Amino acid sequence: MARIIAGISSSHVPAIGAAIDNGRTQEPYWQRVFSGFEKSKEWMAKAKPDVVIGIYNDHASAFSVEIIPTFALGCAAEFPPADEGWGPRPVPVVKGHPELASHIAQSVILDEFDLTIVNKMEVDHGLTVPLNLVFGSPKEWPCPVIPLAVNVVMYPPPTGHRCFMLGKAIRKAVESFPQDLRVVVFGTGGMSHQISGPRAGLINSKFDKAFLDNLTKDPKKLIRMPHLEYMREAGAEGVEMVMWLVMRGALDDKVDEVYRFYTVPASNTAVGHIILENRQRGAAKRAAAGKPKRATRRVAPAKARRAAARARTAVRRGR
Amino acid sequence: MPREQHDYDDIPGTFVFDAERSREGYHLNMFCMSLMKDENRKAFKANEAAYLDKFPLTPEQREAILKRQYNRMLELGGNIYFTAKLGATDGHSFQHMAAVMTGSTQEDYAKMMLAGGRSVEGNRSKSGADKRAKSKPKSKSKIRSKSGSKRG
């Protein structure tokens, strides 16, 4: 069975990608940003996920205003980097996981999330910058990545609650995939920033820190936050943070926060980053210890016993 | 038909790219999208007015593009990720455009960002509709109480 081991969130500021691509990561300004991801790279090297599900948004690269899907799941075998006006980023082609992706599509659509299936798509900095931040700049990305593009460009984006529930549906889908895969879900975007209009440059660190606290300990406080509050408090483009709630919804209710990083600014944006691990549950612990599973066989007879008891009661009542 | 009023119109200095602006700005944004291709960038730079003739823009949108009035473009249905492509065609960075929209120089804007960015204090609301929220302590509980009272 596939399972989700952890969730990671990170900003996806395009200027971070430009700093990498132009060899400027050692400049003091950028060093301050990149140093915050050293621990994450170490964590990632140990975690070695088999698949990443990357929740991100497209920025007028793959989707113009011709088609604006709210949730678009990448089911292709590969996703080339998009030309965002300066030529495609010199990063590896993102290899997908079509089997798991189509399994997720089938499962979550029947769970009433009407996804758009995308079999041909280029991916922009929204996806590739977070990959760089936690994997560095390898020749090939170390594992397949399933992109899930969320519309946060045209208002209204999906609600935080909807995103959270989609995360839960994705988890259910992953856990019903027969192959043993260790999956990490990325939520990207944010944190506070506004890049449009006379209020551009807005940063709200208090909001961001409270958001990170609640993301770990009490995400239910976040999932009903209206878009107005994101936009008022964290900037018009800060509403991107609803994408972090897809990641959080895919995790256990109780998680361990293993790492957090926050700095202002990267270009116009507050950079936030967090790693949340699912606690190892009984089945996972047993699997890790190499012991056989026993849950499935015992559950079925218990259910059958309860059903039989109900039937006996019904008979006694003369139905 | 006048623009429908929304709660987010109360946020100062902000043009939310909603479904209505998306409809109004469709051709403006598609013009910007066309600048993703080098040959189109060259054609536009060679004769801006002639290039714009290819797109059914309103006279206001056309003027805003020609005069590089970035805030006006947003007001007329442009979206920042699209108008940024026009800025890039002019050789400008995102931060340069942000500075222009705020009426600042890029140097001053960059300094403001390094100093922690534009404060949200005094920048939440045109009407003071946020007053109740502002008086509350800035703690984690803020998020719950506000989302509860403002929902629906």
Side-chain angles (χ1 to χ4, degrees):
Chain A
M1 175 185 98
R3 66 193 168 93
I4 292 170
I5 57 167
I8 292 184
S9 279
S10 157
S11 306
H12 59 213
V13 186
I16 294 177
I20 295 169
D21 302 344
N22 298 319
R24 295 173 57 197
T25 57
Q26 295 308 312
E27 293 175 11
Y29 182 99
W30 289 110
Q31 189 54 38
R32 171 177 50 82
V33 174
F34 288 103
S35 63
F37 290 87
E38 288 307 315
K39 283 233 161 61
S40 325
K41 286 183 189 137
E42 287 168 21
W43 181 90
M44 215 39 166
K46 277 188 199 150
K48 286 197 181 69
D50 298 307
V51 184
V52 162
I53 300 175
I55 319 297
Y56 79 109
N57 71 285
D58 179 79
H59 305 77
S61 306
F63 302 112
S64 68
V65 275
E66 286 180 322
I67 299 173
I68 307 174
T70 294
F71 295 116
L73 185 71
C75 294
E78 53 180 48
F79 307 91
D83 183 342
E84 300 178 52
W86 301 270
R89 289 196 63 213
V91 291
V93 167
V94 171
K95 301 278 169 65
H97 195 302
E99 296 82 11
L100 179 57
S102 53
H103 173 84
I104 291 173
Q106 174 122 347
S107 177
V108 304
I109 290 170
L110 291 174
D111 259 339
E112 305 186 340
F113 286 89
D114 311 319
L115 294 184
T116 300
I117 310 292
V118 189
N119 287 315
K120 186 173 190 292
M121 179 167 73
E122 294 181 345
V123 290
D124 70 9
H125 69 269
L127 185 71
T128 57
V129 163
L131 292 177
N132 280 132
L133 287 173
V134 296
F135 290 129
S137 301
K139 279 197 172 154
E140 296 291 336
W141 300 120
C143 70
V145 178
I146 299 174
L148 176 71
V150 181
N151 165 49
V152 293
V153 170
M154 193 195 89
Y155 184 94
T159 63
H161 179 252
R162 187 76 176 148
C163 288
F164 190 78
M165 296 310 286
L166 176 61
K168 285 189 177 295
I170 288 172
R171 177 198 182 131
K172 188 176 152 193
V174 166
E175 291 184 348
S176 64
F177 191 67
Q179 208 179 328
D180 278 333
L181 295 173
R182 301 165 74 254
V183 178
V184 171
V185 181
F186 282 25
T188 72
M191 292 189 87
S192 58
H193 68 302
Q194 176 153 339
I195 54 169
S196 61
R199 202 174 74 136
L202 188 112
I203 298 286
N204 187 343
S205 298
K206 279 180 184 164
F207 177 95
D208 291 341
K209 284 173 183 167
F211 190 91
L212 288 166
D213 288 343
N214 283 321
L215 192 73
T216 302
K217 289 182 194 153
D218 203 354
K220 289 208 162 53
K221 280 185 184 168
L222 301 177
I223 60 179
R224 291 295 183 183
M225 194 189 325
H227 291 330
L228 175 65
E229 187 167 337
Y230 283 97
M231 294 192 294
R232 201 196 282 287
E233 296 291 327
E237 283 74 34
V239 75
E240 285 178 357
M241 277 186 266
V242 295
M243 292 189 290
W244 292 33
L245 296 177
V246 180
M247 176 281 278
R248 189 62 184 87
L251 300 181
D252 291 349
D253 290 345
K254 292 199 167 149
V255 292
D256 293 320
E257 181 179 325
V258 295
Y259 184 61
R260 180 195 291 205
F261 172 65
Y262 185 80
T263 188
V264 174
S267 187
N268 305 288
T269 306
V271 173
H273 169 50
I274 199 164
I275 302 178
L276 303 175
E277 274 180 8
N278 272 343
R279 294 173 182 173
Q280 284 217 333
R281 284 160 294 148
K285 269 189 187 159
R286 277 194 298 281
K291 288 178 191 163
K293 276 195 285 186
R294 47 177 201 166
T296 43
R297 277 204 181 150
R298 301 191 73 156
V299 169
K303 262 188 180 169
R305 275 199 303 277
R306 282 197 298 276
R310 277 197 300 276
R312 281 196 297 276
T313 312
V315 168
R316 278 201 297 277
R317 284 175 184 163
R319 266 181 255 162
Chain B
M1 200 174 81
R3 185 177 150 73
E4 205 182 313
Q5 287 301 298
H6 302 278
D7 53 7
Y8 47 76
D9 291 326
D10 179 54
I11 304 172
T14 302
F15 305 99
V16 175
F17 182 67
D18 58 13
E20 188 179 345
R21 286 210 173 97
S22 177
R23 171 177 62 75
E24 289 168 353
Y26 180 77
H27 295 293
L28 194 166
N29 290 317
M30 289 307 287
F31 149 70
C32 293
M33 201 69 195
S34 76
L35 299 176
M36 292 285 274
K37 287 190 179 152
D38 191 47
E39 66 261 33
N40 291 342
R41 286 194 288 268
K42 282 181 182 146
F44 173 65
K45 293 300 268 185
N47 188 338
E48 295 196 0
Y51 186 84
L52 289 179
D53 285 342
K54 292 197 251 178
F55 298 87
L57 301 161
T58 67
E60 293 80 12
Q61 288 171 334
R62 194 182 160 90
E63 188 188 357
I65 293 167
L66 290 171
K67 292 187 176 167
R68 304 296 195 270
Q69 295 165 331
Y70 283 99
N71 285 325
R72 182 78 175 134
M73 282 183 237
L74 301 180
E75 195 179 352
L76 297 171
N79 173 270
I80 186 65
Y81 297 114
F82 292 79
T83 56
K85 297 179 193 302
L86 175 58
T89 300
D90 288 338
H92 297 315
S93 70
F94 224 106
Q95 200 166 58
H96 173 92
M97 289 184 59
V100 167
M101 286 183 283
T102 62
S104 176
T105 65
Q106 189 172 353
E107 195 188 352
D108 286 347
Y109 180 86
K111 271 186 201 158
M112 175 185 80
M113 293 314 298
L114 267 174
R118 183 184 308 283
S119 171
V120 73
E121 300 304 331
N123 282 313
R124 288 186 169 94
S125 168
K126 291 178 193 168
S127 68
D130 66 313
K131 262 183 191 162
R132 266 185 315 152
K134 251 164 97 179
S135 67
K136 283 179 186 163
K138 306 267 181 304
S139 68
K140 284 175 249 171
S141 63
K142 178 186 81 169
I143 286 168
R144 177 162 61 182
S145 56
K146 278 170 74 179
S147 65
S149 62
K150 284 188 188 171
R151 193 145 36 110

